[in-house]
Amino acid sequence: LGMSYRAVWGKIKSTEERVGQPILQKQTGGVHGGGSTLTPFGRTLIERYKQLEDLTRSSADTFFGSIFAADNIWENSPGKPIFSAQSREERQRGHAEHREEERSGVEIAKEK
């Protein structure tokens, strides 16, 4: 993680305070030493974060592809707009289609 033990525990505590419930079940000492495990809520939180991360990455890839499409960016000379009116309309149509796909994906995730 590239963080100190204390910094990690501070972030965990801060997250628990913000969400209003524990994300870790902590056990101190004992014969086998202490340890921590995720609570069911903590597992759900991580699963949903991963879903958000996947959707964000997918959206960024789509937007990057439509904004920096090779057929648009390399053919224009310096000082000219990168996109024509037609390519802008195509991009907007593509974004609308992508948003619809994302909505469908979220509905599927809710059903699980």
Side-chain angles (χ1 to χ4, degrees):
L1 293 175
M3 299 173 67
S4 70
Y5 182 83
R6 181 177 176 160
V8 171
W9 277 111
K11 292 199 178 283
I12 291 169
K13 183 179 178 186
S14 173
T15 300
E16 289 178 336
E17 288 171 0
R18 284 185 178 161
V19 298
Q21 54 185 305
I23 58 174
L24 283 180
Q25 183 174 8
K26 303 153 198 105
Q27 184 171 339
T28 56
V31 176
H32 302 291
S36 299
T37 57
L38 286 169
T39 62
F41 177 77
R43 271 196 284 301
T44 300
L45 193 64
I46 288 174
E47 289 169 9
R48 290 191 182 172
Y49 177 82
K50 288 178 180 178
Q51 288 176 346
L52 175 63
E53 189 176 42
D54 291 343
L55 287 170
T56 302
R57 184 175 293 115
S58 173
S59 295
D61 289 346
T62 299
F63 291 135
F64 183 89
S66 65
I67 293 170
F68 293 99
D71 61 330
N72 290 322
I73 199 166
W74 305 120
E75 293 177 7
N76 293 285
S77 60
K80 287 187 176 180
I82 293 176
F83 299 105
S84 66
Q86 181 181 11
S87 67
R88 190 174 355 214
E89 289 171 8
E90 290 171 354
R91 280 196 330 274
Q92 289 171 342
R93 212 172 335 167
H95 296 327
E97 291 169 2
H98 183 73
R99 282 192 300 273
E100 184 59 37
E101 290 172 5
E102 285 180 342
R103 277 190 224 107
S104 297
V106 169
E107 290 169 5
I108 290 169
K110 285 181 182 176
E111 292 174 6
K112 289 183 179 181

